Amino acid sequence: MVIGCGGVAQVAIQKCAQNDAVFDEICIASRTVSKCDDLKKKIEAEGKSRSKITTAKVNADSVDELIALIKSVKPDVVLNLALPYQDLTIMDACLACGVHYVDSANYEPEDTEDPKWRAIYEKRCKELGFTAYFDYSWQWAYQKKYKDAGITAILGTGFDPGVTSVFTAYALKHYFDQIDTIDILDCNGGDHGYPFATNFNPEINLREVSANGSYWENGHWVETKPMEIKREYNFEQVGMKDMYLLHHEEIESLAKNIPGVKRIRFFMTFGQSYLTHMKCLENVGMLRTDPVMFEGKEIVPIQFLKALLPDPASLGPRTVGKTNIGCIYTGIKDGKKRAIKIYNVCDHQECYKEVGSQAISYTTGVPAMIGTMMVMTGQWKGAGVFNVEEFDPDPYMEALNKWGLPWVVDENPVMVD
Ligand code: NDP
């Protein structure tokens, strides 16, 4: 069962339908059931999949509604492709029903002014030293409950987080005895022709990008101002781009799961137009996540902004160019220093031709299907809450090649200074 039918889910569901030997039944559920029905009709009209598709209406903020749905559909796995706000309610419902859970983004609260959440957040900022609204502590706290229930939760199987962490497990298994540094480079060389639009949910995207940056070094977090650290990098098949250091969720799990790693950084490319628009929106208060009164009604500025911006799912036909996302590793193998880069290049228009979506949704939706397949087929199993780098990377890496995201290992990579 898939919760959500937005840009990412539309790709994941179509890939599940392509993989009908594993996904023989798929239930698509969100608050707007008409969207789920449209996708079901599209897949059925193509006539290529033997998956039986059903749809349902659910508000995933309600644990009770989720439990009722899960009990009636009886899925093997729930794939959460709604928003990070719903992670905990969906985890609770899976726990109550004894069903495996998979997602692509870690928990963050919708209302960051909620005093109950804020007190825990401020304590964490002080103790751990990074101020991002999202962190893994909330979901890692389910470890014992999932273990006791004998069910699996897989956190973060998109591209980043997701594939980047599987790349890391693969590098450690096949190329290194010890990984010292990891640079994760996320480049979108695509052009959609709009002065400003985001490639996935605008609210989640703008929150992430306007926040302080941070990286992991020698056992602790180093925090930077937003966009403070800038580098240029020449990306294979894309060219030279400006990229900026951001905080990103897989830094937290890789710091925990990759023994002895000394530094982990995350960079994302942005054009000047995107950054100028974002700064302006931030300066006038349009990125605020707390409710404000407007003509007698409460509105949340960033949610209003989302209504004005192009729907990321509509960017498919207009986006041209490629993404290049991957990781550079340095470390030691057989007593010698080595560096490698593992990356994927994905073409926006090729994705559009295949599933009607741009490459950001594609590069997230395909790994969401693959992570779910790992659980469905028992290739990844275990009771508890896991990040993807904790499992054997080989079957996942093979599936990336098979299902549309082939990767390359460069043993002589250009480094980031
Ligand atoms: P969209 O905004 O396009 O879609 C979100 C979907 O969630 C919609 O179908 C919406 O449907 C549904 N939804 C939202 N709230 C609820 C609710 N309360 N109950 C039920 N359904 C709900 O987002 P994207 O597809 O762009 O992103 C999906 C997820 O993927 C996000 O968590 C995002 O952070 C993550 N992501 C991960 C990446 C990675 O590489 N790891 C990269 C990009 C995104 P409706 O409103 O009808 O209910």
Side-chain angles (χ1 to χ4, degrees), residues 185-193 199 233 235-242 268-271 318-325 344-349 359-360:
L185 311 189
D186 180 333
C187 164
N188 180 8
D191 181 5
H192 45 58
N199 294 296
Y233 193 86
F235 288 90
E236 302 80 1
Q237 298 189 47
V238 174
M240 199 60 102
K241 290 276 170 195
D242 291 341
M268 191 177 272
T269 61
F270 295 102
R318 358 180 354 130
T319 309
V320 292
K322 293 177 180 175
T323 61
N324 177 326
I325 318 175
N344 160 265
V345 174
C346 191
D347 185 296
H348 285 283
Q349 279 300 304
I360 304 302

PDB file of all heavy atoms in Angstrom, residues 185-193 199 233 235-242 268-271 318-325 344-349 359-360:
ATOM      1  N   LEU A 185      27.172  14.684  -3.520  1.00  0.00           N
ATOM      2  CA  LEU A 185      26.971  15.802  -4.450  1.00  0.00           C
ATOM      3  C   LEU A 185      25.664  15.596  -5.209  1.00  0.00           C
ATOM      4  O   LEU A 185      25.510  14.602  -5.921  1.00  0.00           O
ATOM      5  CB  LEU A 185      28.119  15.905  -5.460  1.00  0.00           C
ATOM      6  CG  LEU A 185      29.557  15.866  -4.946  1.00  0.00           C
ATOM      7  CD1 LEU A 185      30.513  16.195  -6.088  1.00  0.00           C
ATOM      8  CD2 LEU A 185      29.776  16.826  -3.795  1.00  0.00           C
ATOM      9  N   ASP A 186      24.729  16.513  -5.035  1.00  0.00           N
ATOM     10  CA  ASP A 186      23.414  16.414  -5.671  1.00  0.00           C
ATOM     11  C   ASP A 186      23.298  17.545  -6.687  1.00  0.00           C
ATOM     12  O   ASP A 186      23.145  18.705  -6.311  1.00  0.00           O
ATOM     13  CB  ASP A 186      22.328  16.530  -4.591  1.00  0.00           C
ATOM     14  CG  ASP A 186      20.925  16.440  -5.172  1.00  0.00           C
ATOM     15  OD1 ASP A 186      20.727  16.791  -6.345  1.00  0.00           O
ATOM     16  OD2 ASP A 186      20.011  16.034  -4.426  1.00  0.00           O
ATOM     17  N   CYS A 187      23.374  17.180  -7.964  1.00  0.00           N
ATOM     18  CA  CYS A 187      23.342  18.192  -9.023  1.00  0.00           C
ATOM     19  C   CYS A 187      22.095  18.012  -9.876  1.00  0.00           C
ATOM     20  O   CYS A 187      21.872  16.928 -10.421  1.00  0.00           O
ATOM     21  CB  CYS A 187      24.584  18.049  -9.892  1.00  0.00           C
ATOM     22  SG  CYS A 187      24.451  18.894 -11.472  1.00  0.00           S
ATOM     23  N   ASN A 188      21.302  19.048  -9.970  1.00  0.00           N
ATOM     24  CA  ASN A 188      20.214  19.042 -10.933  1.00  0.00           C
ATOM     25  C   ASN A 188      20.554  20.039 -12.036  1.00  0.00           C
ATOM     26  O   ASN A 188      20.482  21.244 -11.815  1.00  0.00           O
ATOM     27  CB  ASN A 188      18.893  19.417 -10.260  1.00  0.00           C
ATOM     28  CG  ASN A 188      17.750  19.415 -11.261  1.00  0.00           C
ATOM     29  OD1 ASN A 188      17.919  18.990 -12.413  1.00  0.00           O
ATOM     30  ND2 ASN A 188      16.598  19.881 -10.829  1.00  0.00           N
ATOM     31  N   GLY A 189      20.946  19.517 -13.187  1.00  0.00           N
ATOM     32  CA  GLY A 189      21.273  20.396 -14.313  1.00  0.00           C
ATOM     33  C   GLY A 189      20.054  20.642 -15.189  1.00  0.00           C
ATOM     34  O   GLY A 189      20.189  21.087 -16.327  1.00  0.00           O
ATOM     35  N   GLY A 190      18.860  20.373 -14.667  1.00  0.00           N
ATOM     36  CA  GLY A 190      17.632  20.523 -15.459  1.00  0.00           C
ATOM     37  C   GLY A 190      17.157  21.965 -15.515  1.00  0.00           C
ATOM     38  O   GLY A 190      17.402  22.746 -14.603  1.00  0.00           O
ATOM     39  N   ASP A 191      16.444  22.304 -16.600  1.00  0.00           N
ATOM     40  CA  ASP A 191      15.875  23.644 -16.743  1.00  0.00           C
ATOM     41  C   ASP A 191      14.390  23.486 -17.067  1.00  0.00           C
ATOM     42  O   ASP A 191      14.029  22.866 -18.065  1.00  0.00           O
ATOM     43  CB  ASP A 191      16.609  24.366 -17.884  1.00  0.00           C
ATOM     44  CG  ASP A 191      16.079  25.782 -18.079  1.00  0.00           C
ATOM     45  OD1 ASP A 191      15.219  26.213 -17.282  1.00  0.00           O
ATOM     46  OD2 ASP A 191      16.506  26.440 -19.047  1.00  0.00           O
ATOM     47  N   HIS A 192      13.508  24.061 -16.195  1.00  0.00           N
ATOM     48  CA  HIS A 192      12.067  23.943 -16.444  1.00  0.00           C
ATOM     49  C   HIS A 192      11.493  25.209 -17.062  1.00  0.00           C
ATOM     50  O   HIS A 192      10.298  25.284 -17.350  1.00  0.00           O
ATOM     51  CB  HIS A 192      11.313  23.576 -15.159  1.00  0.00           C
ATOM     52  CG  HIS A 192      11.745  24.361 -13.968  1.00  0.00           C
ATOM     53  ND1 HIS A 192      11.684  25.729 -13.932  1.00  0.00           N
ATOM     54  CD2 HIS A 192      12.279  23.967 -12.791  1.00  0.00           C
ATOM     55  CE1 HIS A 192      12.151  26.150 -12.763  1.00  0.00           C
ATOM     56  NE2 HIS A 192      12.525  25.099 -12.046  1.00  0.00           N
ATOM     57  N   GLY A 193      12.320  26.225 -17.230  1.00  0.00           N
ATOM     58  CA  GLY A 193      11.871  27.433 -17.918  1.00  0.00           C
ATOM     59  C   GLY A 193      11.102  28.418 -17.053  1.00  0.00           C
ATOM     60  O   GLY A 193      10.786  29.519 -17.499  1.00  0.00           O
ATOM     61  N   ASN A 199      11.481  21.304  -7.294  1.00  0.00           N
ATOM     62  CA  ASN A 199      11.347  20.017  -7.988  1.00  0.00           C
ATOM     63  C   ASN A 199      10.623  18.968  -7.173  1.00  0.00           C
ATOM     64  O   ASN A 199      10.281  17.918  -7.678  1.00  0.00           O
ATOM     65  CB  ASN A 199      12.722  19.470  -8.345  1.00  0.00           C
ATOM     66  CG  ASN A 199      13.378  20.342  -9.356  1.00  0.00           C
ATOM     67  OD1 ASN A 199      12.887  20.469 -10.465  1.00  0.00           O
ATOM     68  ND2 ASN A 199      14.464  20.989  -8.974  1.00  0.00           N
ATOM     69  N   TYR A 233      31.875  22.656  -9.224  1.00  0.00           N
ATOM     70  CA  TYR A 233      32.229  21.274  -9.549  1.00  0.00           C
ATOM     71  C   TYR A 233      31.790  20.988 -10.982  1.00  0.00           C
ATOM     72  O   TYR A 233      30.711  21.413 -11.414  1.00  0.00           O
ATOM     73  CB  TYR A 233      31.550  20.293  -8.579  1.00  0.00           C
ATOM     74  CG  TYR A 233      32.115  18.894  -8.658  1.00  0.00           C
ATOM     75  CD1 TYR A 233      33.236  18.546  -7.915  1.00  0.00           C
ATOM     76  CD2 TYR A 233      31.537  17.933  -9.484  1.00  0.00           C
ATOM     77  CE1 TYR A 233      33.775  17.268  -8.003  1.00  0.00           C
ATOM     78  CE2 TYR A 233      32.063  16.647  -9.560  1.00  0.00           C
ATOM     79  CZ  TYR A 233      33.185  16.326  -8.822  1.00  0.00           C
ATOM     80  OH  TYR A 233      33.719  15.058  -8.903  1.00  0.00           O
ATOM     81  N   PHE A 235      30.379  18.490 -13.239  1.00  0.00           N
ATOM     82  CA  PHE A 235      29.637  17.228 -13.165  1.00  0.00           C
ATOM     83  C   PHE A 235      29.630  16.529 -14.529  1.00  0.00           C
ATOM     84  O   PHE A 235      29.351  17.175 -15.553  1.00  0.00           O
ATOM     85  CB  PHE A 235      28.195  17.491 -12.724  1.00  0.00           C
ATOM     86  CG  PHE A 235      28.081  17.862 -11.274  1.00  0.00           C
ATOM     87  CD1 PHE A 235      28.161  19.184 -10.882  1.00  0.00           C
ATOM     88  CD2 PHE A 235      27.909  16.891 -10.306  1.00  0.00           C
ATOM     89  CE1 PHE A 235      28.057  19.528  -9.540  1.00  0.00           C
ATOM     90  CE2 PHE A 235      27.807  17.222  -8.963  1.00  0.00           C
ATOM     91  CZ  PHE A 235      27.883  18.541  -8.578  1.00  0.00           C
ATOM     92  N   GLU A 236      29.892  15.224 -14.478  1.00  0.00           N
ATOM     93  CA  GLU A 236      29.871  14.418 -15.698  1.00  0.00           C
ATOM     94  C   GLU A 236      28.498  14.580 -16.369  1.00  0.00           C
ATOM     95  O   GLU A 236      27.455  14.465 -15.701  1.00  0.00           O
ATOM     96  CB  GLU A 236      30.085  12.931 -15.353  1.00  0.00           C
ATOM     97  CG  GLU A 236      31.380  12.614 -14.618  1.00  0.00           C
ATOM     98  CD  GLU A 236      31.344  12.904 -13.106  1.00  0.00           C
ATOM     99  OE1 GLU A 236      30.300  13.342 -12.574  1.00  0.00           O
ATOM    100  OE2 GLU A 236      32.376  12.703 -12.452  1.00  0.00           O
ATOM    101  N   GLN A 237      28.493  14.814 -17.643  1.00  0.00           N
ATOM    102  CA  GLN A 237      27.294  14.961 -18.499  1.00  0.00           C
ATOM    103  C   GLN A 237      26.414  16.170 -18.170  1.00  0.00           C
ATOM    104  O   GLN A 237      25.334  16.313 -18.721  1.00  0.00           O
ATOM    105  CB  GLN A 237      26.425  13.689 -18.482  1.00  0.00           C
ATOM    106  CG  GLN A 237      27.152  12.467 -19.026  1.00  0.00           C
ATOM    107  CD  GLN A 237      26.206  11.298 -19.187  1.00  0.00           C
ATOM    108  OE1 GLN A 237      25.112  11.428 -19.727  1.00  0.00           O
ATOM    109  NE2 GLN A 237      26.630  10.136 -18.711  1.00  0.00           N
ATOM    110  N   VAL A 238      26.849  17.005 -17.228  1.00  0.00           N
ATOM    111  CA  VAL A 238      26.083  18.215 -16.916  1.00  0.00           C
ATOM    112  C   VAL A 238      26.952  19.457 -17.116  1.00  0.00           C
ATOM    113  O   VAL A 238      26.536  20.426 -17.746  1.00  0.00           O
ATOM    114  CB  VAL A 238      25.534  18.192 -15.463  1.00  0.00           C
ATOM    115  CG1 VAL A 238      24.862  19.534 -15.114  1.00  0.00           C
ATOM    116  CG2 VAL A 238      24.529  17.060 -15.276  1.00  0.00           C
ATOM    117  N   GLY A 239      28.184  19.435 -16.600  1.00  0.00           N
ATOM    118  CA  GLY A 239      29.081  20.581 -16.725  1.00  0.00           C
ATOM    119  C   GLY A 239      29.311  21.275 -15.400  1.00  0.00           C
ATOM    120  O   GLY A 239      28.950  20.758 -14.335  1.00  0.00           O
ATOM    121  N   MET A 240      29.911  22.452 -15.485  1.00  0.00           N
ATOM    122  CA  MET A 240      30.315  23.186 -14.280  1.00  0.00           C
ATOM    123  C   MET A 240      29.097  23.809 -13.598  1.00  0.00           C
ATOM    124  O   MET A 240      28.282  24.452 -14.252  1.00  0.00           O
ATOM    125  CB  MET A 240      31.294  24.283 -14.725  1.00  0.00           C
ATOM    126  CG  MET A 240      32.135  24.819 -13.624  1.00  0.00           C
ATOM    127  SD  MET A 240      33.150  23.555 -12.831  1.00  0.00           S
ATOM    128  CE  MET A 240      34.715  23.863 -13.569  1.00  0.00           C
ATOM    129  N   LYS A 241      28.992  23.598 -12.280  1.00  0.00           N
ATOM    130  CA  LYS A 241      27.853  24.153 -11.527  1.00  0.00           C
ATOM    131  C   LYS A 241      28.338  24.687 -10.189  1.00  0.00           C
ATOM    132  O   LYS A 241      29.286  24.133  -9.600  1.00  0.00           O
ATOM    133  CB  LYS A 241      26.812  23.051 -11.233  1.00  0.00           C
ATOM    134  CG  LYS A 241      26.066  22.569 -12.436  1.00  0.00           C
ATOM    135  CD  LYS A 241      24.880  23.475 -12.733  1.00  0.00           C
ATOM    136  CE  LYS A 241      24.274  23.136 -14.077  1.00  0.00           C
ATOM    137  NZ  LYS A 241      23.367  24.148 -14.585  1.00  0.00           N
ATOM    138  N   ASP A 242      27.632  25.697  -9.678  1.00  0.00           N
ATOM    139  CA  ASP A 242      27.850  26.139  -8.296  1.00  0.00           C
ATOM    140  C   ASP A 242      27.088  25.196  -7.380  1.00  0.00           C
ATOM    141  O   ASP A 242      25.927  24.858  -7.661  1.00  0.00           O
ATOM    142  CB  ASP A 242      27.259  27.538  -8.069  1.00  0.00           C
ATOM    143  CG  ASP A 242      28.027  28.607  -8.815  1.00  0.00           C
ATOM    144  OD1 ASP A 242      29.180  28.344  -9.201  1.00  0.00           O
ATOM    145  OD2 ASP A 242      27.459  29.700  -9.010  1.00  0.00           O
ATOM    146  N   MET A 268      24.529  20.684  -2.711  1.00  0.00           N
ATOM    147  CA  MET A 268      23.481  20.678  -3.736  1.00  0.00           C
ATOM    148  C   MET A 268      23.683  21.871  -4.664  1.00  0.00           C
ATOM    149  O   MET A 268      24.081  22.941  -4.205  1.00  0.00           O
ATOM    150  CB  MET A 268      22.104  20.766  -3.070  1.00  0.00           C
ATOM    151  CG  MET A 268      20.954  20.495  -4.006  1.00  0.00           C
ATOM    152  SD  MET A 268      19.366  20.526  -3.142  1.00  0.00           S
ATOM    153  CE  MET A 268      19.192  18.843  -2.598  1.00  0.00           C
ATOM    154  N   THR A 269      23.412  21.654  -5.962  1.00  0.00           N
ATOM    155  CA  THR A 269      23.597  22.765  -6.905  1.00  0.00           C
ATOM    156  C   THR A 269      22.355  23.658  -6.911  1.00  0.00           C
ATOM    157  O   THR A 269      21.223  23.177  -6.794  1.00  0.00           O
ATOM    158  CB  THR A 269      23.829  22.253  -8.348  1.00  0.00           C
ATOM    159  OG1 THR A 269      22.696  21.507  -8.781  1.00  0.00           O
ATOM    160  CG2 THR A 269      25.079  21.398  -8.434  1.00  0.00           C
ATOM    161  N   PHE A 270      22.589  24.953  -7.018  1.00  0.00           N
ATOM    162  CA  PHE A 270      21.497  25.921  -7.182  1.00  0.00           C
ATOM    163  C   PHE A 270      21.942  26.987  -8.150  1.00  0.00           C
ATOM    164  O   PHE A 270      23.086  27.438  -8.095  1.00  0.00           O
ATOM    165  CB  PHE A 270      21.160  26.626  -5.855  1.00  0.00           C
ATOM    166  CG  PHE A 270      20.623  25.704  -4.820  1.00  0.00           C
ATOM    167  CD1 PHE A 270      21.432  25.263  -3.783  1.00  0.00           C
ATOM    168  CD2 PHE A 270      19.316  25.254  -4.886  1.00  0.00           C
ATOM    169  CE1 PHE A 270      20.946  24.394  -2.829  1.00  0.00           C
ATOM    170  CE2 PHE A 270      18.828  24.381  -3.935  1.00  0.00           C
ATOM    171  CZ  PHE A 270      19.642  23.950  -2.905  1.00  0.00           C
ATOM    172  N   GLY A 271      21.013  27.447  -8.994  1.00  0.00           N
ATOM    173  CA  GLY A 271      21.291  28.577  -9.877  1.00  0.00           C
ATOM    174  C   GLY A 271      21.034  29.879  -9.123  1.00  0.00           C
ATOM    175  O   GLY A 271      20.341  29.900  -8.098  1.00  0.00           O
ATOM    176  N   ARG A 318       8.189  20.088 -19.327  1.00  0.00           N
ATOM    177  CA  ARG A 318       8.998  21.269 -19.667  1.00  0.00           C
ATOM    178  C   ARG A 318      10.453  21.151 -19.238  1.00  0.00           C
ATOM    179  O   ARG A 318      11.244  22.031 -19.559  1.00  0.00           O
ATOM    180  CB  ARG A 318       8.455  22.543 -19.042  1.00  0.00           C
ATOM    181  CG  ARG A 318       7.206  22.431 -18.255  1.00  0.00           C
ATOM    182  CD  ARG A 318       6.721  23.709 -17.655  1.00  0.00           C
ATOM    183  NE  ARG A 318       7.554  24.880 -17.764  1.00  0.00           N
ATOM    184  CZ  ARG A 318       7.139  26.057 -18.185  1.00  0.00           C
ATOM    185  NH1 ARG A 318       5.895  26.206 -18.554  1.00  0.00           N
ATOM    186  NH2 ARG A 318       7.960  27.082 -18.236  1.00  0.00           N
ATOM    187  N   THR A 319      10.813  20.133 -18.468  1.00  0.00           N
ATOM    188  CA  THR A 319      12.178  20.104 -17.928  1.00  0.00           C
ATOM    189  C   THR A 319      13.116  19.355 -18.870  1.00  0.00           C
ATOM    190  O   THR A 319      12.854  18.219 -19.250  1.00  0.00           O
ATOM    191  CB  THR A 319      12.193  19.443 -16.532  1.00  0.00           C
ATOM    192  OG1 THR A 319      11.201  20.079 -15.731  1.00  0.00           O
ATOM    193  CG2 THR A 319      13.546  19.600 -15.860  1.00  0.00           C
ATOM    194  N   VAL A 320      14.197  20.041 -19.226  1.00  0.00           N
ATOM    195  CA  VAL A 320      15.221  19.397 -20.060  1.00  0.00           C
ATOM    196  C   VAL A 320      16.551  19.406 -19.313  1.00  0.00           C
ATOM    197  O   VAL A 320      16.784  20.265 -18.456  1.00  0.00           O
ATOM    198  CB  VAL A 320      15.398  20.111 -21.429  1.00  0.00           C
ATOM    199  CG1 VAL A 320      14.165  19.933 -22.291  1.00  0.00           C
ATOM    200  CG2 VAL A 320      15.713  21.586 -21.239  1.00  0.00           C
ATOM    201  N   GLY A 321      17.431  18.469 -19.651  1.00  0.00           N
ATOM    202  CA  GLY A 321      18.735  18.394 -18.990  1.00  0.00           C
ATOM    203  C   GLY A 321      18.819  17.147 -18.128  1.00  0.00           C
ATOM    204  O   GLY A 321      17.946  16.274 -18.182  1.00  0.00           O
ATOM    205  N   LYS A 322      19.895  17.090 -17.327  1.00  0.00           N
ATOM    206  CA  LYS A 322      20.161  15.855 -16.574  1.00  0.00           C
ATOM    207  C   LYS A 322      20.429  16.139 -15.098  1.00  0.00           C
ATOM    208  O   LYS A 322      20.854  17.245 -14.751  1.00  0.00           O
ATOM    209  CB  LYS A 322      21.389  15.164 -17.167  1.00  0.00           C
ATOM    210  CG  LYS A 322      21.128  14.638 -18.570  1.00  0.00           C
ATOM    211  CD  LYS A 322      22.360  14.020 -19.185  1.00  0.00           C
ATOM    212  CE  LYS A 322      21.979  13.519 -20.578  1.00  0.00           C
ATOM    213  NZ  LYS A 322      23.094  13.013 -21.331  1.00  0.00           N
ATOM    214  N   THR A 323      20.201  15.127 -14.280  1.00  0.00           N
ATOM    215  CA  THR A 323      20.682  15.177 -12.898  1.00  0.00           C
ATOM    216  C   THR A 323      21.942  14.315 -12.812  1.00  0.00           C
ATOM    217  O   THR A 323      22.126  13.387 -13.610  1.00  0.00           O
ATOM    218  CB  THR A 323      19.652  14.607 -11.902  1.00  0.00           C
ATOM    219  OG1 THR A 323      19.405  13.239 -12.227  1.00  0.00           O
ATOM    220  CG2 THR A 323      18.344  15.368 -11.950  1.00  0.00           C
ATOM    221  N   ASN A 324      22.789  14.640 -11.854  1.00  0.00           N
ATOM    222  CA  ASN A 324      23.961  13.800 -11.579  1.00  0.00           C
ATOM    223  C   ASN A 324      24.109  13.782 -10.055  1.00  0.00           C
ATOM    224  O   ASN A 324      24.447  14.796  -9.449  1.00  0.00           O
ATOM    225  CB  ASN A 324      25.209  14.399 -12.241  1.00  0.00           C
ATOM    226  CG  ASN A 324      26.462  13.583 -11.918  1.00  0.00           C
ATOM    227  OD1 ASN A 324      26.601  13.032 -10.834  1.00  0.00           O
ATOM    228  ND2 ASN A 324      27.383  13.525 -12.863  1.00  0.00           N
ATOM    229  N   ILE A 325      23.773  12.667  -9.455  1.00  0.00           N
ATOM    230  CA  ILE A 325      23.829  12.589  -7.984  1.00  0.00           C
ATOM    231  C   ILE A 325      24.735  11.428  -7.593  1.00  0.00           C
ATOM    232  O   ILE A 325      24.608  10.321  -8.142  1.00  0.00           O
ATOM    233  CB  ILE A 325      22.432  12.375  -7.340  1.00  0.00           C
ATOM    234  CG1 ILE A 325      21.375  13.247  -8.029  1.00  0.00           C
ATOM    235  CG2 ILE A 325      22.481  12.681  -5.839  1.00  0.00           C
ATOM    236  CD1 ILE A 325      19.951  13.011  -7.531  1.00  0.00           C
ATOM    237  N   ASN A 344      25.022   8.436 -10.407  1.00  0.00           N
ATOM    238  CA  ASN A 344      24.032   8.138 -11.453  1.00  0.00           C
ATOM    239  C   ASN A 344      23.744   9.419 -12.223  1.00  0.00           C
ATOM    240  O   ASN A 344      23.662  10.492 -11.629  1.00  0.00           O
ATOM    241  CB  ASN A 344      22.724   7.628 -10.804  1.00  0.00           C
ATOM    242  CG  ASN A 344      21.522   7.770 -11.743  1.00  0.00           C
ATOM    243  OD1 ASN A 344      20.781   8.743 -11.684  1.00  0.00           O
ATOM    244  ND2 ASN A 344      21.355   6.811 -12.620  1.00  0.00           N
ATOM    245  N   VAL A 345      23.578   9.298 -13.511  1.00  0.00           N
ATOM    246  CA  VAL A 345      23.114  10.427 -14.332  1.00  0.00           C
ATOM    247  C   VAL A 345      21.729  10.065 -14.857  1.00  0.00           C
ATOM    248  O   VAL A 345      21.519   8.956 -15.347  1.00  0.00           O
ATOM    249  CB  VAL A 345      24.072  10.684 -15.514  1.00  0.00           C
ATOM    250  CG1 VAL A 345      23.511  11.761 -16.438  1.00  0.00           C
ATOM    251  CG2 VAL A 345      25.450  11.087 -14.998  1.00  0.00           C
ATOM    252  N   CYS A 346      20.791  10.998 -14.732  1.00  0.00           N
ATOM    253  CA  CYS A 346      19.416  10.707 -15.120  1.00  0.00           C
ATOM    254  C   CYS A 346      18.908  11.861 -15.991  1.00  0.00           C
ATOM    255  O   CYS A 346      19.112  13.025 -15.651  1.00  0.00           O
ATOM    256  CB  CYS A 346      18.581  10.562 -13.839  1.00  0.00           C
ATOM    257  SG  CYS A 346      16.955   9.916 -14.119  1.00  0.00           S
ATOM    258  N   ASP A 347      18.241  11.540 -17.090  1.00  0.00           N
ATOM    259  CA  ASP A 347      17.815  12.547 -18.057  1.00  0.00           C
ATOM    260  C   ASP A 347      16.323  12.878 -17.841  1.00  0.00           C
ATOM    261  O   ASP A 347      15.472  11.991 -17.901  1.00  0.00           O
ATOM    262  CB  ASP A 347      18.052  11.985 -19.467  1.00  0.00           C
ATOM    263  CG  ASP A 347      17.752  13.014 -20.536  1.00  0.00           C
ATOM    264  OD1 ASP A 347      16.586  13.439 -20.661  1.00  0.00           O
ATOM    265  OD2 ASP A 347      18.687  13.385 -21.252  1.00  0.00           O
ATOM    266  N   HIS A 348      16.030  14.154 -17.619  1.00  0.00           N
ATOM    267  CA  HIS A 348      14.648  14.560 -17.328  1.00  0.00           C
ATOM    268  C   HIS A 348      13.665  14.106 -18.416  1.00  0.00           C
ATOM    269  O   HIS A 348      12.584  13.594 -18.113  1.00  0.00           O
ATOM    270  CB  HIS A 348      14.571  16.089 -17.190  1.00  0.00           C
ATOM    271  CG  HIS A 348      15.124  16.605 -15.902  1.00  0.00           C
ATOM    272  ND1 HIS A 348      14.441  16.519 -14.709  1.00  0.00           N
ATOM    273  CD2 HIS A 348      16.287  17.228 -15.612  1.00  0.00           C
ATOM    274  CE1 HIS A 348      15.160  17.077 -13.739  1.00  0.00           C
ATOM    275  NE2 HIS A 348      16.289  17.511 -14.257  1.00  0.00           N
ATOM    276  N   GLN A 349      14.052  14.300 -19.675  1.00  0.00           N
ATOM    277  CA  GLN A 349      13.099  13.976 -20.747  1.00  0.00           C
ATOM    278  C   GLN A 349      12.907  12.462 -20.920  1.00  0.00           C
ATOM    279  O   GLN A 349      11.814  12.006 -21.241  1.00  0.00           O
ATOM    280  CB  GLN A 349      13.538  14.613 -22.069  1.00  0.00           C
ATOM    281  CG  GLN A 349      13.148  16.087 -22.167  1.00  0.00           C
ATOM    282  CD  GLN A 349      11.645  16.315 -22.062  1.00  0.00           C
ATOM    283  OE1 GLN A 349      10.864  15.758 -22.822  1.00  0.00           O
ATOM    284  NE2 GLN A 349      11.221  17.127 -21.095  1.00  0.00           N
ATOM    285  N   ALA A 359      13.003  14.199 -13.575  1.00  0.00           N
ATOM    286  CA  ALA A 359      13.983  13.271 -12.990  1.00  0.00           C
ATOM    287  C   ALA A 359      14.068  13.323 -11.463  1.00  0.00           C
ATOM    288  O   ALA A 359      14.522  12.352 -10.849  1.00  0.00           O
ATOM    289  CB  ALA A 359      15.368  13.536 -13.591  1.00  0.00           C
ATOM    290  N   ILE A 360      13.651  14.415 -10.824  1.00  0.00           N
ATOM    291  CA  ILE A 360      13.747  14.441  -9.358  1.00  0.00           C
ATOM    292  C   ILE A 360      12.734  13.454  -8.760  1.00  0.00           C
ATOM    293  O   ILE A 360      13.051  12.664  -7.866  1.00  0.00           O
ATOM    294  CB  ILE A 360      13.518  15.870  -8.784  1.00  0.00           C
ATOM    295  CG1 ILE A 360      14.508  16.864  -9.398  1.00  0.00           C
ATOM    296  CG2 ILE A 360      13.615  15.867  -7.259  1.00  0.00           C
ATOM    297  CD1 ILE A 360      15.974  16.558  -9.208  1.00  0.00           C
TER     298      ILE A 360
END
